[in-house]
Amino acid sequence: MQCYTELAPPTAVSHAVSLPFLSAQSSNLIVAKTALLQLFSVRNVTTEIDTSRNDQFIGTRVDDALTLAGVESQGLDQSFLGADVPLQRAERSHATKLVIIAEYNLPGVITSLASIKCPGSRSGGEVLIVSLLEAKLSLIGWDPESHSIHTISIHSFEREDLHACPWAEDLSCYPSNLTVDTNNRCAALQFGPRRLAILPFRGADEDLAADDYDHDMDGDRLEGVKLEQDTRTIEDGLQTPYHSSFLLALPALDPELVCPIYLSFLYEYHEPTFGILSAPASPTSSLLSSSKDPLVYTVFTLDLDQHASTTLLSVPNLPYDLQKIIPLAPPVGGALLLGENELIHIDQSGKANGIGVNIFAREISNFPLADHSDLEMRLEGCVMAPFGVDDGEMLMVLSTGEMAILTFKLDGRTVSGLAIRRVDQVHGGSLIRAGATCAASLGHGKIFLGSADSDSVLLAWAKRSPQNARKISVQIADKNAFEDEMAFDLDDQLDDDFYAEDGSAIQKNNPSNGTSLLKPANFKDGEYVFRINDMMPNISPLSHIAFGRSIPEKIYGSERRNLYTQLELAASSGAGRAGAFVALKRNIAPKLLSTFENFEAHSIWAISAKRPLARGIPTNGSLDNDHSLESIFDRFVFISKVGAEGVEDSAVGTINSNGFEELKGTDFGATAGATIEVGTLAGGTRVLQVLNDQVVSFDGNLGLAQIYGMPDEATGAQVKVVSASFADPFLLLVRDDSSVFIIKCDALGEIDEVERGTLLLETRWISGSLYRDRQGVFASPGSTKSLKSGDDIYMFLASAEGGLYVYAMTNLKDPVYVAQGLSFLPPVLTVDYTHRRSNVRETITEILVVDLGELSIVSPYLIVRTATNDLAIYEPFQIPSGPNKNPLSEVLRFFKIPNPYIAQNPSLTTNDATETHRSWKSKPLRAISNVGGFSAVFISGENPSFIMKSAATWPRMIGMGGTGVRSLSGYHTMSCEAGLVYVDINGTIHIGQFPAGERYTEIGWAMRKVNIEEEIQALAYHDPTNAYVLSTSQKAKFELPKDDDFHKEWATEESALKPITEQGVLRILNPASWTTVFSYNLEPNEVVLTMKDLKLETSENNHRLEHLIAIGTSISRGVDLAEQGNIYIFSVINVVPKPDEPETNLALKLIAKEKVKGAVTALSSVGTQGFLLVAQGQKCMVRGLKEDGSLLPVAFIDMQCHVTVARALPGSGLCLMGDALKGIWFVGYTEEPYKMTIFGKSPTALEVMAADFLPDGNSLYIVAADASRNLHIFQYDPEHPKSATGQRLLHRSVFHVGYFPSTLTQLPSANIPFDRQTETSGESVPKLAPQTLLHTTASGTIGLLVPLPETSYSLLQSLSTHLISMLDHPAGLNPRAWRAVTVDGMGGRPVLDGGLLARYFELGCARRAEVVSRAVGEGEGLLAGVRNVLAGVVGGNAIAYL
């Protein structure tokens, strides 16, 4: 009885396509990450970046050309204000950003993406075609009225009669290939061994197909030739956008198509025409001696009406290693065949031109190729993308990340040859650290490169063309000094996002624009230059993980105070030069700069204010540095506090190295009462303090300017202010009598009440928020932007009845928008939303409209807080308006963002008084304009959190580590830029910043990525020294043994392109500086397969246990030589550090080394005596470390094939071994006598990739992940009759994860002390405290398998069943079939899908009540009970210590 939940989304990009999706004029990018579909809009932005802050990942090399490098952040100064230093203005950068529109978790693995023009689509844009495993196609369009995708149709071809023979594999085992006709007439899916599915599409001009019209030859049609179908949507028309699909057997087209390799439609044909690569038998290098060039390229034309085809041409005798067909648009035309060692172009007449890129091209093929072996390229995994220029040049990205340019030599319309040139490093050739998986051209000047081994990037490119008259001045510089300026011509169509619109300079290694300066000699005519405009961080494949302690940041000679002692998840990421170390935490741990006690404080604000100008200085004159800084940096800190006798008052002061110092000699009244809110108006010249019963206005020096009381209009009695919201020049106050009061500040700084309309006066209001609409999201259609102050400010109010009212501050008589259904929290909020069948509503306590995102690109969101402290986040959008310009109420809607955050209701264990606790626990949401470069929202409480987003992600809830927080405010000074100041639940005030080099929004975790630039093969955390030990691999050319007696010819081998092998290197990574401080080279051709930090016995006399690093390696020198391995035991010791490098105080000391036959593939501790379990070759041995450095074997067991995993249940002697072919073995180990005994095996063969124990009460489960992306649940139960007294493990259930597994790790559940995790009893199976399993995958996902009690499991299982039938599933897919849950029928229970259960919160309140009533019945408290159960499952609370 388990539930599987994904805690982090995938990050590895597998497919991408660009298309106008949102509308016919939009520019969109759709990205697939295995099963996650993300939709982006491409937007040009102008950013201001402060060069004093480092927003990039740690480890970015300064000498890498064109990368976005950063500089170290400034340290703590003596003064936090720093008001007397000169102002440094941020530099401007023009770039293209990917902005998230929507994302969807599909119940299926995406295998291809393509786009097609489909007349009558709802958005007017193109339609997306998604192909999935098991031969499925889904047509997806964009629905602008619901702000989401909609499924047009789904086509499944997984019929049983399609299997060619009884022994054929399942369809999911065969690669599939989706291709679309270049004129949008049909799509083809190649699947199975030899099947082709054709899906014809209707076209706007299909009724005129009988004429001689050809779009490519004749151009666009006249405007008068337009069919009625063009004006109808797909749903309104009587016909579907497609005709009936049909299937073709490829051998029926041509009997020679026995082994199809690749298929693609071609350009410049009147009928749908495709080329296909095939062979009469499966091509392989072992047949080169008898069949050197077996492939055939054939071109067929399709007759969609007759379901027939005609062969146009055939080109035989092609090299065996060709893998892909790339269709080429005019002027080149034809097709490009991509192989491992060559490129071949074939035009429409069958004429071929090829180029060999290494010495093997002429050895494996007799096909005539131009010899370019000096390039020494390996084209395996090469990705190509067209630039879109007139000469048809293409970008090549090799598997190593190197970039090259492919040029076609044209003689008129005929290709006479091909040429390849590498992109130099100075031009951006080393920007990509590893190979790409896909490429998508986003128009002239932009290419997106997706990757599974490194970060995916959006590249900007430019090309110099001497024929151009356009000139852009480019500033030239080298690494250390600026040189002279030069001017050169660029292409006419160069996109302006590469260079500034004003022709500003491009600077080398400049963090503000990320562009390299090029020397004149290096930038020649026809050369391309690249830079990175945007990036999608990638943490896959997470092949190895370890858990370490998050240590305080150390300044050598001292140590700053750190409250965040949580654990962190360390993992390996990337491949090749993109190899990196990743440290993940679920909470943000700010870097604390200062801490001091102030037990009475419960609220805090940091305010920037301008000093009053001296007489005689004109208001429009230039200001000195002091006045300029005051508009940016915070000058005052306001504190609301409760005295010893419970009296509430306030204080104002500054913060310096001595702590908080109250200001003297001002007009501030400390005894006026508690402060509700503080803000500025009149351009920062007036500071307004909102008290319970009045508003006090101060000038920039805190001189009293005005006091404004707020008596009740009817009775004259004083009413108390509950909350306040600022938007210059307005102040909105919500009072305890459910009324609102609005104040406006004029140009002279005087404040006065704003007249309110009847509806505002008579309606009871719960909460309100002011918002300045800089992007025109709430502007009426057709309205023009006004320059008048306050015209872009809107007031949002939540009524006591649960309605949302929006007022323009220019007219407070009538609202511009009213939605009465806000309290239902519907998926899409509209003015006419009602739910007649249910009165179930949420009690709304607060609303906030705020900009979220990076400072360069923000978006407005409506955040709704309920009585249970749950949050609903809405994104406003406008549907397309008609020609009559509909009013705002008809076009404005709010889309609810999927938000898995569920508020916790913990008990408070502090010394605070009850009233004080109530006051800070009910603090409103706090908008922070700039914290760490983000516009965010903070939620105070015992579980404080931030709501943050980046341009490419939806808003995410990210916790803040440490104790609870009473209040937090942004804090921006010269020494604490974009920082924060907060009061914790103990009354301590902290000042800090987000740590440099960390990212938060991509996966919803705090993520630090340290570039190692070598692939990490294994890692371990050494607890006594708080250091990580890494094993990396260095690439080296493989040399044959020169002294081999049987192969004398090896001594004279001469090969320019030798095979690449790996050599392992051990490194120590010190978290104090995040740098490697020690390295140890292994033997040649030796790589590390496993590494563990284990407590081993180091002395046979005193039986002392020590933390040691155990390493298992493999030495492979070819298939004809036996494989060997080594067992290493290292100790991490302290040494004398290098001068001025105190972090280099660690080193590895070799304790033992044992060479064994076969590779050492798995290690684990076993038993209670500190012995080592070793999987070596086909044996598993228990070894003990002797004092002489030898490893004495004491017990062993024979395995069968290849051991991939070995685990031992701590303190029990129970072990499991996973075999790559034979499945799971459950083994027992005893110490007196030393013996290993097989208890049970898995009933069927299984490709075990990862496995671990999962104890659940008195039951012992074993969970294994196989190569088919499934989780298998086994149980050891010797008393079950089907288990044969335990010899057969009970195969309880199977759950399809959908991502290739990397690791499975047993972890203790949260709130369970670690010293109780290994409690044992006298029973044969130890009774452990609650456990859980952490699952990482090669796509970058992090999942959690949690055991559930019977009551919770039954409730969630019933809820899951009803959710499947009530939810709309993206792409029309079936989540039940996707998970492929199976049980053994002997008491096994299926694993629940936590992702499906989390979608419960996407529903509105009425639909939730309906689902719960169907699943568990009706009754009081059921909704709250379901919510509480889900909070403990889908939120990942079981690993709250991370």
Side-chain angles (χ1 to χ4, degrees):
M1 297 183 296
Q2 299 89 15
C3 178
Y4 181 85
T5 305
E6 289 181 9
L7 301 181
T11 58
V13 174
S14 55
H15 302 87
V17 63
S18 61
L19 73 165
F21 191 63
L22 301 184
S23 66
Q25 295 77 31
S26 63
S27 176
N28 301 115
L29 175 72
I30 296 182
V31 169
K33 299 177 179 178
T34 310
L36 179 67
L37 192 70
Q38 293 182 313
L39 169 61
F40 297 94
S41 178
V42 182
R43 188 180 303 176
N44 294 327
V45 298
T46 301
T47 63
E48 289 189 355
I49 301 178
D50 190 344
T51 59
S52 65
R53 294 300 305 266
N54 178 13
D55 294 329
Q56 303 305 312
F57 282 163
I58 293 295
T60 302
R61 297 185 303 172
V62 177
D63 59 347
D64 276 354
L66 309 178
T67 54
L68 297 176
V71 295
E72 296 181 358
S73 56
Q74 297 178 357
L76 176 65
D77 198 282
Q78 292 296 323
S79 171
F80 282 87
L81 295 178
D84 297 328
V85 299
L87 176 66
Q88 285 189 337
R89 299 190 179 276
E91 299 183 12
R92 281 178 168 252
S93 173
H94 301 261
T96 300
K97 301 283 286 186
L98 296 176
V99 181
I100 188 71
I101 301 298
E103 66 179 28
Y104 303 92
N105 283 294
L106 301 189
V109 175
I110 300 171
T111 58
S112 296
L113 295 177
S115 63
I116 194 166
K117 295 179 181 178
C118 187
S121 64
R122 295 184 186 179
S123 65
E126 295 184 3
V127 168
L128 177 70
I129 307 178
V130 181
S131 73
L132 303 109
L133 282 180
E134 301 177 345
K136 291 187 179 69
L137 284 182
S138 183
L139 269 65
I140 296 174
W142 179 255
D143 185 1
E145 297 202 357
S146 63
H147 198 66
S148 63
I149 61 174
H150 71 102
T151 304
I152 298 173
S153 63
I154 183 169
H155 308 263
S156 179
F157 306 100
E158 49 179 345
R159 303 203 315 261
E160 294 183 1
D161 60 340
L162 297 180
H163 290 275
C165 52
W167 57 83
E169 295 287 346
D170 188 81
L171 290 179
S172 61
C173 299
Y174 294 95
S176 61
N177 175 34
L178 174 65
T179 179
V180 175
D181 174 47
T182 55
N183 287 326
N184 304 287
R185 291 166 291 199
C186 65
L189 177 67
Q190 176 193 348
F191 67 97
R194 285 174 287 275
R195 290 287 179 175
L196 184 66
I198 304 295
L199 181 61
F201 285 87
R202 303 181 190 275
D205 55 351
E206 67 177 11
D207 292 344
L208 304 175
D211 62 16
D212 294 331
Y213 167 74
D214 183 83
H215 180 275
D216 294 329
M217 300 296 296
D218 302 333
D220 296 334
R221 286 190 180 275
L222 298 178
E223 294 183 1
V225 182
K226 188 174 183 181
L227 300 181
E228 181 182 356
Q229 186 180 358
D230 289 337
T231 62
R232 299 183 298 181
T233 65
I234 294 170
E235 289 72 13
D236 295 334
L238 300 178
Q239 296 177 325
T240 60
Y242 51 86
H243 295 284
S244 298
S245 61
F246 58 92
L247 295 175
L248 294 175
L250 290 177
L253 303 180
D254 188 335
E256 298 295 328
L257 298 179
V258 178
C259 293
I261 297 174
Y262 201 86
L263 179 148
S264 180
F265 281 100
L266 305 177
Y267 287 92
E268 297 185 290
Y269 285 93
H270 185 70
E271 297 293 337
T273 303
F274 63 86
I276 183 169
L277 269 176
S278 64
S282 180
T284 174
S285 59
S286 61
L287 299 177
L288 286 178
S289 58
S290 59
S291 178
K292 208 167 192 180
D293 294 313
L295 298 193
V296 179
Y297 172 72
T298 312
V299 177
F300 296 90
T301 181
L302 278 177
D303 187 337
L304 299 178
D305 296 328
Q306 301 299 324
H307 299 181
S309 65
T310 303
T311 303
L312 296 184
L313 64 89
S314 179
V315 181
N317 302 325
L318 295 174
Y320 87 99
D321 60 345
L322 294 176
Q323 300 173 343
K324 191 174 183 180
I325 302 173
I326 303 174
L328 301 178
V332 179
L336 181 68
L337 309 184
L338 174 62
E340 296 177 356
N341 305 290
E342 67 283 318
L343 291 170
I344 299 176
H345 175 266
I346 300 178
D347 62 15
Q348 291 181 336
S349 64
K351 179 184 176 182
N353 288 276
I355 178 174
V357 298
N358 56 49
I359 61 172
F360 295 111
R362 62 176 180 266
E363 296 182 9
I364 66 170
S365 175
N366 293 326
F367 192 86
L369 299 171
D371 186 9
H372 287 261
S373 57
D374 56 316
L375 292 172
E376 295 187 0
M377 286 185 175
R378 294 174 170 87
L379 299 184
E380 297 92 340
C382 176
V383 172
M384 305 190 69
F387 284 108
V389 293
D390 294 338
D391 52 10
E393 290 184 321
M394 303 184 72
L395 173 67
M396 301 174 60
V397 182
L398 305 184
S399 59
T400 59
E402 297 177 90
M403 291 192 290
I405 308 298
L406 172 64
T407 303
F408 298 92
K409 300 176 182 178
L410 297 177
D411 185 6
R413 287 294 305 273
T414 303
V415 175
S416 59
L418 291 78
I420 298 177
R421 64 184 187 276
R422 278 188 165 90
V423 179
D424 296 335
Q425 180 177 351
V426 71
H427 295 158
S430 62
L431 284 179
I432 313 301
R433 296 177 179 269
T437 56
C438 58
S441 179
L442 297 172
H444 197 81
K446 298 182 288 292
I447 291 180
F448 174 79
L449 296 177
S451 177
D453 294 328
S454 67
D455 299 330
S456 301
V457 297
L458 177 61
L459 285 181
W461 59 267
K463 179 184 178 182
R464 176 173 180 172
S465 176
Q467 295 83 11
N468 227 320
R470 178 183 179 186
K471 296 180 179 292
I472 295 180
S473 178
V474 179
Q475 186 177 353
I476 306 302
D478 57 17
K479 184 175 181 179
N480 300 314
F482 291 100
E483 297 177 353
D484 295 332
E485 192 176 279
M486 67 171 290
F488 60 91
D489 301 328
L490 295 178
D491 190 89
D492 278 331
Q493 298 178 354
L494 177 64
D495 196 278
D496 287 337
D497 70 345
F498 189 86
Y499 296 99
E501 296 176 357
D502 55 358
S504 59
I506 302 175
Q507 300 177 4
K508 181 178 182 180
N509 297 325
N510 190 339
S512 65
N513 56 29
T515 308
S516 173
L517 292 179
L518 309 175
K519 297 184 179 181
N522 293 332
F523 196 56
K524 304 175 182 178
D525 291 344
E527 290 287 352
Y528 287 85
V529 59
F530 298 89
R531 79 163 185 178
I532 294 178
N533 262 359
D534 203 357
M535 179 178 61
M536 288 185 187
N538 176 28
I539 63 172
S540 69
L542 301 180
S543 302
H544 309 277
I545 66 170
F547 294 90
R549 300 184 185 275
S550 180
I551 63 174
E553 181 185 356
K554 291 184 178 180
I555 302 177
Y556 292 94
S558 65
E559 183 173 321
R560 291 176 181 161
R561 181 177 179 180
N562 193 301
L563 304 178
Y564 318 108
T565 57
Q566 60 188 15
L567 300 181
E568 63 185 11
L569 171 63
S572 60
S573 168
R577 292 193 307 117
F581 171 90
V582 178
L584 301 171
K585 293 180 291 187
R586 300 198 66 195
N587 296 324
I588 300 174
K591 182 179 81 173
L592 298 182
L593 304 180
S594 182
T595 297
F596 49 89
E597 308 292 343
N598 193 317
F599 299 105
E600 300 175 346
H602 63 79
S603 294
I604 193 166
W605 298 266
I607 298 297
S608 62
K610 298 179 182 178
R611 290 190 180 97
L613 295 177
R615 293 184 179 181
I617 299 180
T619 57
N620 58 351
S622 60
L623 301 179
D624 58 15
N625 284 336
D626 286 344
H627 288 93
S628 301
L629 288 170
E630 288 164 4
S631 63
I632 300 175
F633 296 125
D634 295 326
R635 295 180 55 214
F636 305 114
V637 174
F638 286 77
I639 291 178
S640 184
K641 55 186 180 179
V642 179
E645 299 179 356
V647 178
E648 296 183 351
D649 55 18
S650 303
V652 64
T654 61
I655 297 178
N656 51 37
S657 56
N658 297 321
F660 179 79
E661 294 185 358
E662 292 193 29
L663 290 178
K664 306 297 183 181
T666 68
D667 295 335
F668 179 80
T671 61
T675 301
I676 305 299
E677 190 63 69
V678 181
T680 60
L681 296 179
T685 61
R686 287 291 184 267
V687 179
L688 270 67
Q689 179 192 19
V690 181
L691 303 174
N692 284 327
D693 54 358
Q694 62 185 8
V695 176
V696 183
S697 175
F698 301 94
D699 61 20
N701 284 332
L702 294 186
L704 183 61
Q706 191 176 355
I707 298 178
Y708 200 96
M710 295 169 294
D712 183 82
E713 289 82 354
T715 63
Q718 291 290 337
V719 292
K720 292 186 177 181
V721 177
V722 176
S723 64
S725 178
F726 286 86
D728 197 3
F730 296 101
L731 168 63
L732 169 66
L733 304 174
V734 180
R735 304 186 290 187
D736 59 359
D737 62 349
S738 299
S739 65
V740 295
F741 195 85
I742 304 169
I743 291 176
K744 183 177 181 180
C745 185
D746 59 22
L748 298 178
E750 299 293 328
I751 59 175
D752 198 1
E753 178 184 1
V754 177
E755 183 179 353
R756 293 158 287 170
T758 304
L759 185 61
L760 276 175
L761 293 172
E762 296 179 352
T763 307
R764 298 175 60 246
W765 306 107
I766 298 299
S767 179
S769 176
L770 294 178
Y771 174 73
R772 183 181 298 277
D773 184 19
R774 294 183 174 89
Q775 304 180 47
V777 176
F778 302 105
S780 299
S783 62
T784 58
K785 187 173 182 180
S786 173
L787 299 178
K788 186 178 179 182
S789 176
D791 284 359
D792 57 350
I793 298 178
Y794 293 85
M795 179 172 62
F796 294 78
L797 296 172
S799 67
E801 291 75 21
L804 174 66
Y805 292 74
V806 182
Y807 285 86
M809 296 305 291
T810 55
N811 180 14
L812 295 180
K813 294 183 179 180
D814 299 309
V816 296
Y817 183 87
V818 178
Q820 296 292 353
L822 178 63
S823 58
F824 288 107
L825 300 182
V828 177
L829 178 64
T830 62
V831 293
D832 53 355
Y833 178 85
T834 57
H835 202 288
R836 301 175 182 176
R837 292 183 294 177
S838 175
N839 292 323
V840 178
R841 297 170 177 257
E842 287 282 1
T843 302
I844 297 175
T845 58
E846 184 181 2
I847 64 170
L848 176 65
V849 181
V850 65
D851 282 329
L852 296 178
E854 301 164 287
L855 296 184
S856 60
I857 180 167
V858 295
S859 302
Y861 288 89
L862 167 65
I863 303 176
V864 181
R865 183 165 65 95
T866 67
T868 58
N869 284 327
D870 292 339
L871 298 180
I873 304 176
Y874 282 90
E875 179 184 7
F877 69 96
Q878 291 191 16
I879 64 174
S881 178
N884 297 328
K885 303 300 180 183
N886 300 340
L888 183 66
S889 60
E890 296 183 10
V891 299
L892 179 62
R893 298 183 178 183
F894 294 84
F895 172 76
K896 184 162 69 172
I897 301 295
N899 174 32
Y901 174 81
I902 309 171
Q904 305 296 314
N905 296 306
S907 59
L908 182 69
T909 56
T910 66
N911 297 325
D912 287 352
T914 303
E915 190 66 30
T916 304
H917 163 44
R918 187 181 300 114
S919 66
W920 71 261
K921 189 176 181 180
S922 60
K923 289 294 180 184
L925 305 172
R926 179 71 64 86
I928 312 295
S929 60
N930 183 8
V931 54
F934 292 91
S935 177
V937 171
F938 181 76
I939 308 167
S940 59
E942 187 155 319
N943 294 288
S945 302
F946 287 94
I947 305 176
M948 303 170 63
K949 78 175 295 290
S950 63
T953 63
W954 269 345
R956 301 191 187 276
M957 304 289 302
I958 308 174
M960 178 173 159
T963 59
V965 174
R966 296 177 180 176
S967 179
L968 181 143
S969 173
Y971 189 69
H972 185 54
T973 66
M974 282 297 297
S975 296
C976 184
E977 298 183 40
L980 49 86
V981 56
Y982 67 94
V983 183
D984 65 19
I985 58 174
N986 299 313
T988 304
I989 297 178
H990 305 272
I991 296 176
Q993 293 173 306
F994 285 175
E998 286 192 357
R999 303 177 73 102
Y1000 307 103
T1001 58
E1002 282 73 16
I1003 64 173
W1005 295 43
M1007 174 176 64
R1008 180 186 296 273
K1009 192 172 181 181
V1010 184
N1011 289 328
I1012 305 298
E1013 299 188 355
E1014 294 176 357
E1015 185 172 347
I1016 298 178
Q1017 298 172 325
L1019 60 89
Y1021 175 75
H1022 191 253
D1023 188 64
T1025 58
N1026 288 326
Y1028 290 96
V1029 180
L1030 313 178
S1031 168
T1032 65
S1033 63
Q1034 294 179 344
K1035 305 295 183 182
K1037 293 183 178 181
F1038 180 76
E1039 299 283 350
L1040 291 172
K1042 305 299 183 182
D1043 55 351
D1044 192 282
D1045 296 332
F1046 298 97
H1047 298 279
K1048 302 294 186 181
E1049 70 276 9
W1050 288 358
T1052 59
E1053 181 205 18
E1054 293 182 3
S1055 177
L1057 194 65
K1058 296 180 180 179
I1060 299 297
T1061 186
E1062 296 179 342
Q1063 179 181 357
V1065 180
L1066 304 180
R1067 303 183 185 278
I1068 295 179
L1069 179 69
N1070 194 334
S1073 60
W1074 296 111
T1075 57
T1076 55
V1077 298
F1078 180 84
S1079 61
Y1080 180 94
N1081 293 327
L1082 301 180
E1083 298 179 16
N1085 305 319
E1086 184 178 20
V1087 295
V1088 174
L1089 299 182
T1090 180
M1091 177 190 295
K1092 300 287 183 181
D1093 172 68
L1094 304 174
K1095 293 191 71 172
L1096 301 180
E1097 183 182 82
T1098 58
S1099 174
E1100 299 174 276
N1101 298 323
N1102 55 22
H1103 304 289
R1104 186 181 63 204
L1105 299 179
E1106 291 185 11
H1107 278 276
L1108 300 176
I1109 303 297
I1111 298 173
T1113 69
S1114 168
I1115 303 175
S1116 179
R1117 296 172 293 173
V1119 296
D1120 56 341
L1121 297 177
E1123 194 172 23
Q1124 295 180 326
N1126 282 318
I1127 306 172
Y1128 292 91
I1129 305 295
F1130 285 96
S1131 174
V1132 182
I1133 61 174
N1134 289 306
V1135 296
V1136 177
K1138 298 178 182 179
D1140 300 326
E1141 298 181 18
E1143 68 274 12
T1144 61
N1145 62 333
L1146 299 175
L1148 290 174
K1149 177 183 178 182
L1150 181 62
I1151 302 298
K1153 177 182 179 181
E1154 184 95 9
K1155 180 160 287 190
V1156 298
K1157 294 181 180 180
V1160 181
T1161 58
L1163 296 170
S1164 177
S1165 60
V1166 64
T1168 60
Q1169 296 179 346
F1171 283 6
L1172 179 66
L1173 176 62
V1174 182
Q1176 54 185 76
Q1178 294 179 322
K1179 293 182 181 292
C1180 281
M1181 287 189 177
V1182 177
R1183 293 175 175 266
L1185 178 62
K1186 300 182 65 176
E1187 292 185 349
D1188 60 358
S1190 62
L1191 293 168
L1192 178 66
V1194 297
F1196 76 95
I1197 190 171
D1198 287 319
M1199 301 296 291
Q1200 289 189 334
C1201 295
H1202 177 83
V1203 179
T1204 56
V1205 60
R1207 291 284 193 271
L1209 202 59
S1212 67
L1214 299 179
C1215 308
L1216 71 85
M1217 290 82 169
D1219 193 282
L1221 295 176
K1222 298 300 182 180
I1224 293 292
W1225 291 30
F1226 181 44
V1227 179
Y1229 164 73
T1230 59
E1231 296 174 342
E1232 294 183 3
Y1234 295 118
K1235 181 181 178 182
M1236 298 188 77
T1237 305
I1238 297 178
F1239 289 163
K1241 298 182 181 180
S1242 56
T1244 58
L1246 195 67
E1247 297 180 74
V1248 178
M1249 298 290 102
D1252 210 334
F1253 290 102
L1254 182 60
D1256 184 10
N1258 292 326
S1259 301
L1260 180 61
Y1261 294 94
I1262 297 174
V1263 181
D1266 68 3
S1268 299
R1269 309 174 184 181
N1270 298 319
L1271 287 182
H1272 298 261
I1273 311 297
F1274 298 96
Q1275 184 182 7
Y1276 177 70
D1277 186 2
E1279 298 180 357
H1280 197 282
K1282 297 291 185 179
S1283 68
T1285 65
Q1287 297 181 31
R1288 287 170 55 94
L1289 297 176
L1290 300 177
H1291 199 172
R1292 288 305 193 184
S1293 64
V1294 180
F1295 181 82
H1296 185 67
V1297 175
Y1299 302 98
F1300 193 84
S1302 296
T1303 65
L1304 272 172
T1305 308
Q1306 181 193 142
L1307 296 176
S1309 290
N1311 303 321
I1312 303 296
F1314 281 84
D1315 56 359
R1316 292 174 50 196
Q1317 297 304 315
T1318 57
E1319 294 180 355
T1320 60
S1321 63
E1323 304 174 9
S1324 59
V1325 178
K1327 184 176 180 180
L1328 299 181
Q1331 306 288 301
T1332 186
L1333 278 185
L1334 188 75
H1335 181 224
T1336 64
T1337 70
S1339 297
T1341 63
I1342 302 175
L1344 199 63
L1345 187 67
V1346 182
L1348 299 175
E1350 176 63 32
T1351 54
S1352 299
Y1353 179 87
S1354 300
L1355 186 151
L1356 295 181
Q1357 185 182 30
S1358 179
L1359 184 66
S1360 176
T1361 302
H1362 289 83
L1363 282 174
I1364 290 178
S1365 61
M1366 294 191 67
L1367 288 169
D1368 293 328
H1369 304 293
L1373 300 173
N1374 184 357
R1376 183 182 283 112
W1378 152 247
R1379 291 306 185 184
V1381 176
T1382 58
V1383 295
D1384 59 359
M1386 299 179 297
R1389 309 290 289 275
V1391 177
L1392 301 180
D1393 184 358
L1396 176 65
L1397 293 170
R1399 294 193 62 191
Y1400 167 83
F1401 295 99
E1402 296 179 17
L1403 301 174
C1405 299
R1407 295 295 300 276
R1408 292 184 201 173
E1410 184 179 349
V1411 172
V1412 171
S1413 64
R1414 292 183 182 181
V1416 296
E1418 298 181 356
E1420 287 190 25
L1422 285 180
L1423 280 173
V1426 169
R1427 173 197 172 277
N1428 294 334
V1429 172
L1430 286 173
V1433 175
V1434 302
N1437 295 338
I1439 55 170
Y1441 44 80
L1442 282 182

